[in-house]
Amino acid sequence: MALQTLVFTIFWRLIRSELGVDKDKQQVLSVLKSVKERDFSQDLLHLQQVRLLLVGEKDAIHVKAAKFIGQRFPNSEIKIIQNAGHEINEDQPIALANEIINLD
């Protein structure tokens, strides 16, 4: 999150025009800061069951997070979607749909 915040700070104009972000820079940086400071580990304790974790292979941070979560839920399954980044629905919509359809 620190790296993402730095990138947003430095390349704000480019990111805003490319992504069509309609928020001001301080709003976006405030959200990034709050997410960075949030510790979700206690929230995991309240989950009863995690069945399937889908993550894009190019989304290194979330691959690591999926493995972390998967270790805490022995009946969970991690599926890494090839040729996908953070937005699996954009990068590999058919692969994502197939995983959802085949979910028991």
Side-chain angles (χ1 to χ4, degrees):
M1 290 308 299
L3 178 60
Q4 187 173 12
T5 301
L6 178 64
V7 169
F8 264 81
T9 302
I10 295 172
F11 297 106
W12 175 251
R13 286 191 178 147
L14 176 63
I15 291 168
R16 185 174 184 169
S17 65
E18 288 293 315
L19 299 179
V21 176
D22 63 350
K23 307 293 183 210
D24 70 49
K25 182 178 180 178
Q26 292 309 314
Q27 277 182 303
V28 172
L29 292 175
S30 175
V31 169
L32 290 172
K33 182 181 178 198
S34 69
V35 170
K36 181 176 85 171
E37 293 172 351
R38 177 79 166 97
D39 179 4
F40 293 99
S41 60
Q42 292 300 311
D43 296 331
L44 292 175
L45 300 174
H46 300 290
L47 294 175
Q48 298 298 314
Q49 177 179 344
V50 174
R51 175 91 199 296
L52 178 62
L53 299 158
L54 295 174
V55 63
E57 73 169 329
K58 298 176 186 175
D59 190 359
I61 291 172
H62 291 105
V63 168
K64 184 178 176 181
K67 290 177 180 177
F68 174 83
I69 294 168
Q71 289 173 351
R72 278 139 185 84
F73 296 92
N75 294 326
S76 67
E77 181 179 2
I78 300 170
K79 294 247 179 140
I80 298 176
I81 307 299
Q82 301 301 308
N83 300 312
H86 183 65
E87 296 179 335
I88 300 170
N89 60 314
E90 292 282 331
D91 299 335
Q92 293 293 331
I94 294 173
L96 175 60
N98 285 335
E99 291 298 337
I100 293 169
I101 290 168
N102 292 324
L103 187 60
D104 294 337

